[in-house]
């Protein structure tokens, strides 16, 4: 057994031990929350029975006192019964909330265990957030099934998902990476706070989230507020008149049997009210239609902000984000709660798209409630429209940092790489793929430095070439967003990653895989010529053409990349191409090799220097009954 492989296996055992510690904590939490749920369910049942008993006893007592004509006692007992019943309801609702919250905490720990086992099939894929023309996300399993997005994401808001996708898709500036690393390191050991933060948002998870619609609505100009005085005076006068007219009608109807003439004043006033309500109807319906899906979003932001406001943080970025919600005599969570309550009541009105509450419609006709709620909503918009997008952005950043802290906590063997100031530099010790189970993950050391350096990897199918390219790419994406990498140590320059690995036919656009690959190569060459620091990865160049053109085109491209001082890596089956490029000192050759034991090809997935030396595929072909010709060159 080689020393490199022995070290790899020793490292794997150490990683497994470290990871098991976090899994044990999740399993213990799971049991604790299950026990707590049983206690809360018992308490909830007791309170439910107690509410019923209290209601029956109160009803019997009040009835007995009323029958005995004990008016004084009735006036005392009724408020006391209502107060006691209200206390029981409040206590019941609190226990119900704690039960839901504990259920979410239990679910969070169950999900963490699934992540540790690389069972990601039930997690949101983030597929809708992926851009097909992006420089690398389609090739590196950033989004989709069994992806980095699934492994990292612990956000509960749509804006949190969007921000995580953005961070995964573009490198941050060096100083920003350092700030994020510090914030993640502070949040990593705060397991209880992070999980409580996530559970607080899960109460308001909304599959039909309309986050952008909410921000657009808040930014729209107010309509009724500029005429506030006129509408308020009309609202007060007409409300008083309609109430007085209704009282007059009832008195006349039941005392003087005057059902017709007494109805005239009420009819006139209600007609005036109706005409005013019809005039402002479009404004009311616009508010309801733009917010009926977003009350849950507001509730989620309020719950998450409340947790952030009450937290104690030390790193600059976390304190800066927290200060977004904290101002003198001003609370972001309080302001959002006000809007949420306004909209919850206003939703009773209904619109063309939603059902209305009959009681609201009646009271609205008498007291012009629409005017009141529109003015309250527009006052809130005017006061907070410049803050809401900042609040949403700060919450989202907290969610992403907390997600990355959860990722770091579940993978304690991962390390935060140093970001080098010098360009075109990459050094990893014991680098592995974070989406491969630690028990089967094989790690390798890798170093490449200097503009113009190109590494070429050779090896047979299944030897690990493509996986190693993706391993490098995924870890670079993690490093340059501020996250820990699957390595024992790392130092990298800030570079843009570009890949051409999974080019496919596009029948809809009539594009062949070969043409799609050429378009990617053209895009790469333009990027390199622009002078940006690029790290490129090309897997099996020009697969869609004949072997002669592939060989000629492959060497020509490698030579051109070298002349452009490009920095990157290429994998190939073509040993002749690797030898030719190596002989011209264009590339540094690496390889993955295999051996045959008992008729089976075995791979150790260990990166070695030099060109691939095994020719085991031919031996396997022989085992399958194929007569391999040794003198094919002479035919």
């Amino acid at each position: 057994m080689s020393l490199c492989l022995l070290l790899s296996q020793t490292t794997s055992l150490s990683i497994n031990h470290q990871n098991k510690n976090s899994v044990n904590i999740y399993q213990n939490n799971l049991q604790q929350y299950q026990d707590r749920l049983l206690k809360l369910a018992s308490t909830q049942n007791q309170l439910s029975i107690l509410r019923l008993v209290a209601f029956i006893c109160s009803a019997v007592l009040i009835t007995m006192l009323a029958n005995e004509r004990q008016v004084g006692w009735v006036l005392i007992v009724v408020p006391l019964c209502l107060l006691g019943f209200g206390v029981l309801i409040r206590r019941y609702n609190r226990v119900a909330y704690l039960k839901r919250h504990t259920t979410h905490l239990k679910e969070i720990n169950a999900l963490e265990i699934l992540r540790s086992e690389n069972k990601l099939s039930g997690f949101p894929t983030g597929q809708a957030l992926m851009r097909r023309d992006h420089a690398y996300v389609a090739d590196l399993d950033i989004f989709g099934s069994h992806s980095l997005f699934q492994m990292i994401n612990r956000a509960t808001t749509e804006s949190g998902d969007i921000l995580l996708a953005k961070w995964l898709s573009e490198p941050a500036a060096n100083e920003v990476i350092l700030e994020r690393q510090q914030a993640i390191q502070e949040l990593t050991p705060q397991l209880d706070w992070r999980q409580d933060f996530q559970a607080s948002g899960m109460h308001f998870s909304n599959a039909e989230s309309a986050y952008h619609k909410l921000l657009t609505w808040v930014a729209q100009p107010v309509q009724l507020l500029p005429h506030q005085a006129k509408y308020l005076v009309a609202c007060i006068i007409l409300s008083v008149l309609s109430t007085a007219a209704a009282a007059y009608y009832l008195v006349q109807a039941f005392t003087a049997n005057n059902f017709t003439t007494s109805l005239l004043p009420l009819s006139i006033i209600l007609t005036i009210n109706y005409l005013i309500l019809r005039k402002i109807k479009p404004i009311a319906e616009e508010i309801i239609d733009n917010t009926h899906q977003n009350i849950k979003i507001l509730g989620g932001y309020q719950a998450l902000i409340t947790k952030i406001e009450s937290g104690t943080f030390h790193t600059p970025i976390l304190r800066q984000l927290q200060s977004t919600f904290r101002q003198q005599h001003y609370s972001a969570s309080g302001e959002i709660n006000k809007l949420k309550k306004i909209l919850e009541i206003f939703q009773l009105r209904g619109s063309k798209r939603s059902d209305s509450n009959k009681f609201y419609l009646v009271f609205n006709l008498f007291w012009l409630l629409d005017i009141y709620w529109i003015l309250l909503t527009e006052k809130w918009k005017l006061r907070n429209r410049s803050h809401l997008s900042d609040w949403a952005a700060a919450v989202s950043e907290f969610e992403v940092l907390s997600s990355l802290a959860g990722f770091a906590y579940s993978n304690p063997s991962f390390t935060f790489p140093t970001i080098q100031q010098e360009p075109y530099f990459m050094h990893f010790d014991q680098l592995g793929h974070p989406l491969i189970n630690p028990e089967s993950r094989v790690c390798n050391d890798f170093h490449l430095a200097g503009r113009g350096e190109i590494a070429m990897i050779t090896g047979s199918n299944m030897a690990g070439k493509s996986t190693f390219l993706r391993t490098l790419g995924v870890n670079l994406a993690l490093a340059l967003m501020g996250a820990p990498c699957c390595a024992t140590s790392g130092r990298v320059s800030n570079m843009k990653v570009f890949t051409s690995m999974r080019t496919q036919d596009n029948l809809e656009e009539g594009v062949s895989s070969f043409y799609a690959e050429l378009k990617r190569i053209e895009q790469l060459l333009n990027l390199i010529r622009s002078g940006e620091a690029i790290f490129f990865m090309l897997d099996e160049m020009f697969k869609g053409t004949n072997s002669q053109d592939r060989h000629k085109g492959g060497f020509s491209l490698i030579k051109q990349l070298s002349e452009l001082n490009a920095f990157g890596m290429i994998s190939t089956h073509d040993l002749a191409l690797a030898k030719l490029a190596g002989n011209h000192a264009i590339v540094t050759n690496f390889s993955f090799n295999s051996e045959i034991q008992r008729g089976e090809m075995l791979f150790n997935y260990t990166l070695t220097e030099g060109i691939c030396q095994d020719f085991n595929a031919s031996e396997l072909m022989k085992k399958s009954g194929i007569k391999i010709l040794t003198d094919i060159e002479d035919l």
Side-chain angles (χ1 to χ4, degrees):
M1 181 181 292
S2 68
L3 178 61
C4 186
L5 183 58
L6 181 63
L7 288 172
S8 176
Q9 291 178 346
T10 304
T11 303
S12 179
L13 290 173
S14 174
I15 289 170
N16 290 339
H17 177 72
Q18 292 177 29
N19 289 349
K20 283 179 181 177
N21 289 336
S22 57
V23 173
N24 289 338
I25 291 172
Y26 296 139
Q27 290 172 336
N28 291 336
N29 284 348
L30 202 61
Q31 186 59 53
Q32 289 178 16
Y33 291 131
Q34 178 59 37
D35 295 342
R36 189 183 300 177
L37 276 174
L38 293 174
K39 293 178 182 177
L40 287 169
S42 176
T43 303
Q44 191 177 31
N45 290 335
Q46 292 171 7
L47 287 170
S48 183
I49 295 170
L50 191 58
R51 278 195 316 172
L52 180 61
V53 171
F55 178 79
I56 294 172
C57 291
S58 299
V60 170
L61 179 60
I62 292 168
T63 302
M64 289 174 57
L65 290 173
N67 289 337
E68 294 293 329
R69 298 178 184 268
Q70 299 291 327
V71 178
W73 280 106
V74 169
L75 293 175
I76 295 172
V77 169
V78 169
L80 289 176
C81 288
L82 290 173
L83 179 63
F85 196 68
V87 170
L88 285 174
I89 290 176
R90 186 172 181 180
R91 174 64 178 158
Y92 179 88
N93 290 339
R94 177 60 182 166
V95 172
Y97 171 83
L98 288 174
K99 187 180 174 185
R100 291 194 304 273
H101 195 73
T102 305
T103 301
H104 291 320
L105 289 168
K106 179 185 172 184
E107 181 184 350
I108 287 168
N109 284 274
L111 293 175
E112 293 294 354
I113 293 171
L114 288 176
R115 283 193 181 96
S116 71
E117 298 170 349
N118 273 30
K119 297 177 179 177
L120 304 175
S121 59
F123 292 82
T125 64
Q127 191 76 38
L129 303 170
M130 184 179 80
R131 288 184 7 236
R132 272 182 53 192
D133 61 343
H134 190 270
Y136 59 82
V137 295
D139 290 334
L140 301 182
D141 300 309
I142 302 296
F143 303 104
S145 178
H146 200 75
S147 65
L148 203 58
F149 184 86
Q150 291 178 302
M151 181 68 79
I152 293 174
N153 187 31
R154 291 154 176 85
T156 59
T157 67
E158 181 189 8
S159 58
D161 293 347
I162 292 170
L163 186 63
L164 174 58
K166 182 181 179 183
W167 285 18
L168 283 165
S169 303
E170 59 187 45
N174 287 2
E175 60 274 12
V176 174
I177 293 172
L178 181 60
E179 288 176 348
R180 290 176 184 174
Q181 287 181 348
Q182 292 171 347
I184 294 165
Q185 287 170 326
E186 179 179 352
L187 290 174
T188 297
Q190 298 184 34
L191 177 65
D192 292 340
W193 185 91
R194 285 189 290 100
Q195 292 195 344
D196 197 40
F197 178 67
Q198 184 179 350
S200 297
M202 288 173 71
H203 288 273
F204 303 93
S205 294
N206 185 3
E208 298 180 356
S209 176
Y211 155 72
H212 288 298
K213 191 174 182 181
L214 175 65
L215 295 184
T216 301
W217 169 73
V218 169
Q220 289 172 352
V222 296
Q223 300 179 61
L224 214 62
L225 200 59
H227 314 290
Q228 173 179 308
K230 179 177 68 175
Y231 276 100
L232 276 179
V233 169
C235 183
I236 293 169
I237 292 173
L238 290 171
S239 296
V240 171
L241 290 176
S242 59
T243 304
Y248 173 73
Y249 170 74
L250 292 173
V251 170
Q252 289 295 312
F254 289 101
T255 60
N257 291 326
N258 182 1
F259 291 96
T260 54
T261 57
S262 59
L263 187 61
L264 183 61
L266 180 61
S267 300
I268 293 172
I269 295 170
L270 291 183
T271 300
I272 295 171
N273 288 359
Y274 171 76
L275 293 172
I276 293 174
L277 290 173
R278 190 172 70 172
K279 182 180 180 181
I280 64 171
K281 179 181 178 180
I283 302 174
E285 290 190 340
E286 180 263 337
I287 292 172
I288 292 166
D289 288 339
N290 280 292
T291 60
H292 78 280
Q293 287 184 331
N294 290 315
I295 292 177
K296 260 196 167 185
I297 297 178
L298 291 169
Y301 282 137
Q302 181 199 350
L304 295 170
I305 290 171
T306 300
K307 284 296 298 178
I308 296 169
E309 286 178 333
S310 62
T312 302
F313 307 105
H314 304 287
T315 51
I317 188 171
L318 295 178
R319 292 174 68 90
Q320 179 184 346
L321 290 171
Q322 188 182 49
S323 68
T324 306
F325 313 114
R326 284 182 176 177
Q327 297 182 22
Q328 192 174 9
H329 308 302
Y330 194 89
S331 166
S333 60
E335 286 296 309
I336 291 177
N337 190 43
K338 288 176 186 177
L339 178 62
K340 187 166 73 76
K341 287 182 176 178
I342 291 169
L343 295 176
E344 283 173 344
I345 297 173
F346 205 7
Q347 291 297 322
L348 296 174
R349 181 197 183 282
S351 69
K352 293 177 182 177
R353 301 182 185 180
S354 59
D355 296 332
S356 56
N357 183 289
K358 306 305 179 188
F359 289 104
Y360 183 94
L361 295 179
V362 172
F363 292 138
N364 191 29
L365 189 59
F366 275 87
W367 298 328
L368 301 168
L369 297 179
D370 281 359
I371 293 175
Y372 177 69
W373 296 117
I374 290 172
L375 288 174
L376 280 180
T377 304
E378 292 191 340
K379 281 182 180 178
W380 192 96
K381 283 175 65 174
L382 206 61
R383 186 170 65 250
N384 295 299
R385 65 166 41 146
S386 61
H387 302 309
L388 186 61
S389 59
D390 292 338
W391 295 340
V395 167
S396 304
E397 192 159 349
F398 246 103
E399 283 197 292
V400 176
L401 290 170
S402 182
S403 292
L404 291 169
F407 175 66
Y409 186 88
S410 293
N411 298 281
S413 60
F414 289 13
T415 186
F416 289 91
T418 302
I419 307 300
Q420 300 286 112
Q421 293 299 323
E422 62 182 288
Y424 304 102
F425 183 90
M426 181 190 309
H427 181 97
F428 285 108
D429 293 320
Q430 291 301 290
L431 181 72
H433 200 302
L435 295 174
I436 295 177
N437 196 299
E439 294 180 0
S440 54
R441 181 191 299 150
V442 176
C443 299
N444 286 285
D445 298 342
F446 184 73
H447 175 75
L448 195 67
R451 186 171 185 180
E453 283 294 316
I454 299 174
M456 177 168 277
I457 300 181
T458 50
S460 61
N461 270 329
M462 302 184 298
K465 303 186 306 299
S466 299
T467 299
F468 187 70
L469 261 64
R470 292 192 183 97
T471 297
L472 269 176
V474 164
N475 280 286
L476 280 173
L478 287 169
L480 298 177
M481 73 183 290
C485 293
C486 182
T488 55
S489 67
R491 290 176 290 144
V492 296
S493 302
N494 199 320
M495 302 173 285
K496 287 189 175 180
V497 178
F498 187 93
T499 63
S500 179
M501 301 174 70
R502 287 174 172 163
T503 50
Q504 297 177 343
D505 295 348
N506 189 322
L507 298 179
E508 184 180 343
E509 296 179 7
V511 175
S512 69
S513 60
F514 178 63
Y515 184 72
E517 185 178 5
L518 289 179
K519 296 298 288 183
R520 293 289 288 181
I521 297 297
E522 181 183 0
Q523 189 179 350
L524 170 62
L525 293 173
N526 289 334
L527 277 173
I528 294 171
R529 290 190 188 101
S530 72
E532 291 186 87
I534 305 292
F535 177 75
F536 70 87
M537 290 184 289
L538 307 179
D539 187 27
E540 294 297 341
M541 297 178 296
F542 309 132
K543 296 181 286 291
T545 187
N546 63 72
S547 58
Q548 185 176 348
D549 282 341
R550 181 168 62 247
H551 185 81
K552 185 190 300 182
F555 182 75
S556 300
L557 176 60
I558 293 169
K559 191 171 187 302
Q560 186 174 356
L561 289 170
S562 177
E563 290 169 351
L564 288 170
N565 278 326
F567 183 68
M569 176 175 287
I570 300 168
S571 74
T572 184
H573 289 103
D574 191 338
L575 300 184
L577 177 62
K579 289 176 182 176
L580 182 61
N583 290 339
H584 285 76
I586 297 174
V587 301
T588 303
N589 280 302
F590 296 89
S591 61
F592 287 99
N593 294 276
S594 64
E595 59 181 342
I596 291 182
Q597 292 183 5
R598 298 176 184 175
E600 291 187 10
M601 186 181 288
L602 301 179
F603 302 100
N604 57 30
Y605 305 112
T606 302
L607 186 69
T608 57
E609 294 185 7
I611 296 173
C612 176
Q613 296 300 314
D614 73 57
F615 299 93
N616 296 319
S618 296
E619 294 299 320
L620 285 182
M621 291 177 192
K622 289 181 184 179
K623 295 285 184 183
S624 301
I626 300 172
K627 297 179 180 179
I628 302 298
L629 299 174
T630 57
D631 55 350
I632 192 170
E633 305 290 344
D634 300 328
L635 294 179

